Amino acid sequence: MEKISVAEARREDAIGREVLLQGWVRTRRDSKGGFSFLEINDGSCLGNIQVVADGTLPNYESEVKRLTTGCSVAVEGVVRASPGREQPTEVYATRVTVYGWADPETYPLQKKRHSYEFLRTIAHLRPRTNSFGAVTRVRNAVCFSIHRFFQEEGFLYIHTPIITASDCEGAGAMFRVTTLDPATQQRLDDAADFFGRRTYLTVSGQLEAEAYACAVGKVYTFGPTFRAENSNTTRHLAEFWMVEPEAAFFDLEDNMNLAERFLKRIFRDVLEQCPEDMEFFNRWVDNTVIETLRQIIESEFVRLTYTEAIEILKKSGETFEFPVEWGRDLQAEHERFLTEKHFRRPVILTDYPRQIKPFYMRLNDDEKTVRAMDVLVPRVGEIIGGSQREERLDVLERRMEEMGLNKQNYWWYIDLRRFGTVPHSGFGLGLERALQFITGMGNIRDVIPFPRTPGSAEF
RNA sequence: UCCCCGGUAGCUCAGCAGGUAGAGCGAGCGGCUGUUAACCGCUAGGUCCCAGGUUCGAGCCCUGGCCGGGGAGCCA
């Protein structure tokens, strides 16, 4: 008797083996022929294993026939070829043990489809559904693929701080971190606080990653980031996961090549590793996701400058709600036009006007634009944002002054240019945005286990 | 934060020109079947989001909240 997963038991090479299966009942169908069918799922794959529980089991009447959706069980039995059409194998049970019951009168999950809105209110139980099981497996595959890609490319995985005193300017509002009690201390005294200064949850590990890139060459961070923006959309979370590679001696060209290789690698891996889950998304969520990913893997990303994009938008003849004008940031509608209508594939925009980008991006010789790059994809919009960093001490300091930043707060960052400075580049990928794109899920709250959004931190 | 839309049974929703609450699914029970979103019958189940107001009478109209969804801005 060996303990195996549902995924293993569903494979034909399991036929004939005596096994132990453990999982949760999805549904039970009785046959008055004196036996029951149990569908068992353990999360190892999308599909269930069909268990045939015969009436001769000692606990058949007392327990097996009382099993309902959500009950947890152990099944010992033999894997056989299934005469049914829906599954290659089934398990003929020699023993069924109940771990825990799930009162059908109060158990919220039924064996029919639920709305995502409802499932969000039971985020602790929604991983037991097909949809969220699939999201969970795809998310895992993507994370693994991210690590594999960077490891193979020679990047070192580094850990940048979660609690930070530095503001990666332009990245949005921050959460304060303090041990002071606002109820008893009317005015929060930074010097008296735990760290002796004002601290926040990180909005980006980029600045710290640059320090390591400027020492060990190629690095990446992959961790949680926090934004206190009061934005309520299908594409924003207050807590999300971000991948941020940073590489010394990389110019923007190298950076774009890395980003393109990176995305293609993730998409290819997910199609390979999670075919069943991807079929599920393609069937029930968005019937274009698989084809879209395949096309992207095959095609080359379009690359053009911000200035060229403005020209295309102006000549498009489209009527936009927001005006298209050089020097203004592109709106969601503009990005969508480029990726969904004009090019119909991912687009990398580069060389944005300096005034709409942060201080650390490298200034071009025209003095008007910076070496920024945004990777835009259909439906989701900006999925990657990055740049070649400003490595020239004098230019960096000048730009900080222009933007009214206090240079003392960035003394260590400036040091990286003062001592042995090198050209370097990096970018950030929002993990959940990538997952939205891959799975077709419409709301970012449904691709992270326990979403944090303004006014909502249950669970 | 702004603009729309919504909140009725466990879930998804319907509800008439304001007249006192319904369906499907789910659940319970029974029937039938190597079944597979099973099928057939019966039964139970509701502070119609909350608080005011108008009215003989409010799920429906008005006011103010709360919650959810979509879009926008900001961004990843």
Side-chain angles (χ1 to χ4, degrees), chain A residues 290-309:
Chain A
I290 289 181
E291 185 54 29
T292 301
L293 293 180
R294 287 215 179 104
Q295 273 177 10
I296 290 174
I297 293 167
E298 301 300 320
S299 69
E300 283 193 5
F301 291 12
V302 179
R303 301 182 186 190
L304 70 162
T305 65
Y306 166 92
T307 304
E308 289 166 336

Side-chain angles (χ1 to χ4, degrees), chain A residues 158-202:
Chain A
I158 64 162
H159 300 95
T160 51
I162 306 293
I163 299 173
T164 175
S166 67
D167 176 2
C168 192
E169 184 272 329
M174 306 178 82
F175 289 100
R176 284 282 290 280
V177 174
T178 180
T179 54
L180 300 176
D181 183 357
T184 58
Q185 285 159 289
Q186 289 291 338
R187 186 179 300 130
L188 296 184
D189 182 359
D190 293 331
D193 206 343
F194 186 88
F195 295 105
R197 61 182 305 165
R198 193 169 292 201
T199 49
Y200 309 89
L201 292 179
T202 184

Side-chain angles (χ1 to χ4, degrees), chain A residues 28-42:
Chain A
R28 188 195 83 233
R29 295 180 294 272
D30 296 329
S31 166
K32 267 296 186 304
F35 56 96
S36 297
F37 297 101
L38 303 175
E39 296 273 348
I40 308 295
N41 189 283
D42 67 357

Side-chain angles (χ1 to χ4, degrees), chain A residues 9-179:
Chain A
R10 278 170 61 85
R11 288 205 298 265
E12 284 182 15
D13 58 17
I15 289 171
R17 286 158 72 182
E18 248 183 77
V19 299
L20 165 64
L21 283 161
Q22 295 156 304
W24 292 266
V25 174
R26 283 293 178 80
T27 177
R28 188 195 83 233
R29 295 180 294 272
D30 296 329
S31 166
K32 267 296 186 304
F35 56 96
S36 297
F37 297 101
L38 303 175
E39 296 273 348
I40 308 295
N41 189 283
D42 67 357
S44 58
C45 62
L46 183 73
N48 308 318
I49 186 75
Q50 172 164 290
V51 171
V52 181
D54 196 78
T56 57
L57 290 168
N59 62 342
Y60 182 72
E61 288 295 332
S62 63
E63 294 194 314
V64 172
K65 285 197 72 179
R66 289 173 48 222
L67 287 172
T68 53
T69 306
C71 292
S72 49
V73 293
V75 174
E76 293 171 33
V78 183
V79 182
R80 307 189 309 195
S82 176
R85 282 197 203 128
E86 308 291 319
Q87 61 279 323
T89 65
E90 63 187 22
V91 171
Y92 190 84
T94 52
R95 182 193 295 204
V96 174
T97 310
V98 180
Y99 288 116
W101 298 96
D103 178 7
E105 294 285 355
T106 53
Y107 187 61
L109 291 175
Q110 305 168 358
K111 52 187 179 184
K112 60 165 200 147
R113 286 187 82 178
H114 290 287
S115 68
Y116 292 125
E117 290 79 12
F118 171 66
L119 291 173
R120 266 171 230 148
T121 68
I122 49 168
H124 60 308
L125 296 174
R126 67 179 185 170
R128 300 184 185 192
T129 64
N130 287 337
S131 298
F132 287 88
V135 166
T136 304
R137 285 181 295 272
V138 167
R139 186 178 170 111
N140 170 72
V142 168
C143 292
F144 187 52
S145 175
I146 287 167
H147 280 297
R148 205 161 37 187
F149 172 81
F150 284 117
Q151 293 296 322
E152 288 173 9
E153 293 259 345
F155 283 65
L156 303 183
Y157 178 34
I158 64 162
H159 300 95
T160 51
I162 306 293
I163 299 173
T164 175
S166 67
D167 176 2
C168 192
E169 184 272 329
M174 306 178 82
F175 289 100
R176 284 282 290 280
V177 174
T178 180
T179 54

